[in-house]
Amino acid sequence: MEKSKGVLVYSEGLHGKWMFSEIRAVFTRRFLLQNTALEIFMANRRRTYNDLNQYPVFPWVLTNYESEELDLTVPGNFRDLSKPIGALNPKRAVFYADRYESWDEETPPCHYTTHYSTAASTLHWLVRIEPFTTFFLNANGNKFDHPNRTFSGIARSWRHCQRDTADVKELIPEFYYLPEMFVNSNGYCMGDRDDGVPVCDVELPAWAKKPEDFVRINRMALESEFVSCQLHQWIDLIFGYKQRGPEAARALNVFHHLTYEGSVNLDSLASDPPLREAIEAQIQSVGQAPSQLLIEPHPPRSSAMHLCFLPQSPLMFKDQMQQDVIMVLKFPSNSPVTHVAANTLPHLTLPAVVTITCSRLFAVNRWHNTVGLRGAPGYSLEQAHHLPIEMDSLIANNSGTNKRQITDLVDQSIQINTQCFVVTADNRYILVCGFWDKSFRVYSSDTGKLTQIVFGHWDVVTCLARSESYIGGDCYIVSGSRDATLLLWYWSGRHHIIGDNPNNSDYPAPRAVLTGHDYEVVCVSVCAELGIVISGAKEGPCLVHTITGDLLRALEGPDSCVLPRLISVSSEGHCIIYYDRGQFCNFSINGKLLAQMEINDSARAILLSSDGQNLVTGGDNGVVEVWQACDFKQLYVYPGCDAGIRAMDLSHDQRTLITGMASGSIVAFNIDFNRWHFEHQNRPLGKKLPEQ
């Protein structure tokens, strides 16, 4: 009876409940420096409660916020990451050292009485965007801070944390991915500074013309060789052996004692509630250092800086100047290859490039990882066992094409294209749409047999898309239809079915119904990382939905961009849409048009590299072109093929591009995004790419 009472008391404070199938991970967390909390990560991307006092911390990496142009090959533009933010200015370092040496209070001595990461500093950076605006106002009597103290400029904030002895703030991850944080899009009135300038949008460095430029360049700096080769020293300060103790004292890296884990046991103060409340309030105000993860120096990252003195010098690419085309594989069938799926990770049971033709003949072509062999002494393309793709033996020998032919009839009005198919991440199943009975179907790639029929739409299913996979192969599948709706489904990697109940595989229920289009849905892309679905209909704007079915916004392009045909979305939140007649647009998921271009080709396939920085296009002209995704600057043009391109995909290592051709063959190309970016950055202004 006593036990049930305890359960009832617990239930009265119930925060929420979730299905086990929806939970992706559960982690123990600290709260007020005590290990008393849990954080639950959900499949639909909702996160449970998160403590702003333990917000992720990122370093300032640049020091130059004044120049018109920023050269990321100049060491002087980068911060010394071996020192805490408070010790970068020598005069300030002396002040903090004196404070520590002359400490005369009863508490342990420290260099800094404020912290590099607090709830207040997080809200300071994110004050312009919700829900942080509301959090800030709730914590400050429903008022914004004094305009002089409000975050109003990047350069101003950098100067402040180099001169003010009470300011040692580091940055937060949003500085490297969220341009919206610098824009006062809600029009808040934040007052005027003492110099009479109103606080509105954040003032950017001269080298960044818009917030997207700042985020992109700041991230390039973070991922540069200068930062890579010394980031381990910053990790030592924040998470490692210099976080506390004698090494911290020597590094001028000691903070208030209540910022450290284990400094106080709140349970021991249960008999003195006023004292406990006072200490809890102090912990919340002074900040919390992360758990100390290392007691020895963090090893340096393997970096190109260890091999050559200048980052990304031509020496890095000297041995990478390879031929563009690795191989051409011609299938016995002359049917156009309309879908290519390169699931080539080495841990798969069968790393392969799965191809599907217009006549729905598929091939599971084994993948051989030959990247390490290319360019090696004695390497010859004529050696077939060195080629990356080996043709499916059942197709090559014409010995079992019945196991490779999808014979079920599709609706005669359907135009077969790359978006009619999805291949699961393990290469074991193929999903096909376009059937007259308004279903889409699942087939085994091993036997070619039908394993599941999925109903849900009121008209023919016209397109399919798959999200990136979770551990175990689970992923989202989205189906679009002539009924102008989309349905979001869950693919179970464990049971190899749509839905998570093998006892009800005949009637799986969609996770969400996505509405808003007025015409037949023709293209769709889904990103589980961001929890969004972006879709396009025969006419009208593309729509952004959450994976729970909420319509977020429409992506309105220029007047000439009204017939979307292809969509690719990156986990960074950028959406590339190809419209009819060669029109391309790059949108942020918040609806801002970032770039636009027109090409002299009818694109049939587009894809983004895994980091979202590169766009690859191919179409009827038979030419593969590579573009910088942020501004559509051309990086590379391959020699033209003798047939149109119908589909394409990248190998897992982003080193090989495989294209499906209208002639019934596939072509494997060498890819070198890093070299092309280097050549682009060092190309004289106005100089065009050489003709191939």
Side-chain angles (χ1 to χ4, degrees), residues 33-238:
L33 300 177
Q34 315 298 303
N35 293 311
T36 57
L38 294 175
E39 187 172 8
I40 303 173
F41 290 81
M42 314 300 294
N44 63 7
R45 316 309 297 168
R46 290 185 175 177
R47 298 182 71 198
T48 51
Y49 176 81
N50 194 275
D51 187 1
L52 288 178
N53 272 299
Q54 300 178 80
Y55 207 75
V57 56
F58 269 53
W60 291 90
V61 297
L62 292 170
T63 61
N64 182 351
Y65 299 98
E66 308 290 346
S67 299
E68 291 289 333
E69 295 183 358
L70 182 68
D71 189 342
L72 294 181
T73 66
V74 175
N77 288 332
F78 289 84
R79 165 195 170 178
D80 182 354
L81 288 169
S82 68
K83 297 177 180 178
I85 197 76
L88 293 176
N89 182 333
K91 291 183 180 179
R92 256 201 343 172
V94 170
F95 169 84
Y96 292 129
D98 289 344
R99 171 190 280 174
Y100 186 86
E101 296 299 330
S102 60
W103 193 265
D104 59 358
E105 299 182 24
E106 295 182 0
T107 57
C110 63
H111 296 110
Y112 315 104
T113 54
T114 58
H115 203 251
Y116 51 78
S117 177
T118 65
S121 65
T122 299
L123 295 177
H124 171 83
W125 296 128
L126 296 174
V127 68
R128 289 167 175 79
I129 57 174
E130 290 289 4
F132 303 100
T133 307
T134 298
F135 293 162
F136 186 97
L137 294 174
N138 289 342
N140 291 276
N142 210 34
K143 295 180 180 178
F144 289 108
D145 203 352
H146 189 284
N148 283 1
R149 292 191 296 268
T150 299
F151 175 37
S152 59
I154 306 291
R156 187 176 295 105
S157 294
W158 170 249
R159 289 194 301 268
H160 206 258
C161 77
Q162 294 304 295
R163 299 173 184 174
D164 188 339
T165 56
D167 186 355
V168 291
K169 288 191 289 291
E170 290 278 14
L171 301 183
I172 55 176
E174 284 80 354
F175 271 78
Y176 297 94
Y177 77 85
L178 190 69
E180 287 81 5
M181 69 173 284
F182 305 108
V183 181
N184 185 16
S185 57
N186 293 311
Y188 298 121
C189 182
M190 300 181 179
D192 297 345
R193 298 197 307 257
D194 287 347
D195 58 8
V197 177
V199 176
C200 190
D201 294 346
V202 175
E203 296 174 8
L204 302 174
W207 43 260
K209 306 306 180 188
K210 54 186 179 180
E212 290 77 15
D213 290 342
F214 174 78
V215 166
R216 177 175 55 84
I217 296 171
N218 204 32
R219 184 159 180 161
M220 287 172 60
L222 177 69
E223 296 172 349
S224 69
E225 295 299 336
F226 282 119
V227 172
S228 294
C229 71
Q230 57 169 333
L231 187 60
H232 63 286
Q233 300 182 81
W234 184 81
I235 294 173
D236 289 336
L237 294 168
I238 306 299

Side-chain angles (χ1 to χ4, degrees), residues 3-4 6 49 55 68 101 194 223 246 300 331 372 375 402 404 494 587 597 655 670:
K3 185 175 181 181
S4 62
Y49 176 81
Y55 207 75
E68 291 289 333
E101 296 299 330
D194 287 347
E223 296 172 349
F331 294 106
N402 60 310
R404 295 293 185 259
R494 177 184 177 188
F587 293 94
M597 76 168 174
R655 297 285 300 275
N670 268 313

Side-chain angles (χ1 to χ4, degrees), residues 323-331 353 365-368 370 374 379 381-391 641 656-659 661 665-670:
Q323 65 272 30
D324 287 318
V325 177
I326 304 170
M327 64 177 294
V328 179
L329 199 63
K330 182 70 173 72
F331 294 106
V353 175
N365 309 287
R366 183 177 292 273
W367 171 264
H368 300 288
T370 63
R374 294 178 206 167
Y379 172 71
L381 282 179
E382 283 71 33
Q383 295 172 287
H385 60 281
H386 281 174
L387 296 176
I389 305 171
E390 178 185 344
M391 187 183 295
C641 301
T656 307
L657 173 74
I658 303 98
T659 61
M661 311 302 294
S665 60
I666 59 173
V667 180
F669 295 89
N670 268 313

Side-chain angles (χ1 to χ4, degrees), residues 604-605 617-624 641 643-648 659-662:
R604 296 296 191 99
T617 65
D620 289 343
N621 291 350
V623 177
V624 174
C641 301
I645 295 166
R646 293 292 178 266
M648 60 173 63
T659 61
M661 311 302 294

Side-chain angles (χ1 to χ4, degrees), residues 552-563:
L552 290 179
R553 61 185 52 85
L555 301 179
E556 299 279 359
D559 292 341
S560 58
C561 300
V562 292
L563 303 174

Side-chain angles (χ1 to χ4, degrees), residues 238-283:
I238 306 299
F239 305 97
Y241 81 109
K242 291 183 179 180
Q243 188 200 74
R244 58 203 324 188
E247 291 294 340
R250 278 192 285 271
L252 264 68
N253 195 42
V254 179
F255 293 84
H256 192 284
H257 72 285
L258 286 181
T259 65
Y260 295 104
E261 189 174 38
S263 61
V264 63
N265 182 357
L266 293 178
D267 291 337
S268 67
L269 304 176
S271 60
D272 192 347
L275 178 59
R276 176 171 177 148
E277 289 179 8
I279 290 180
E280 286 180 349
Q282 197 168 5
I283 292 172

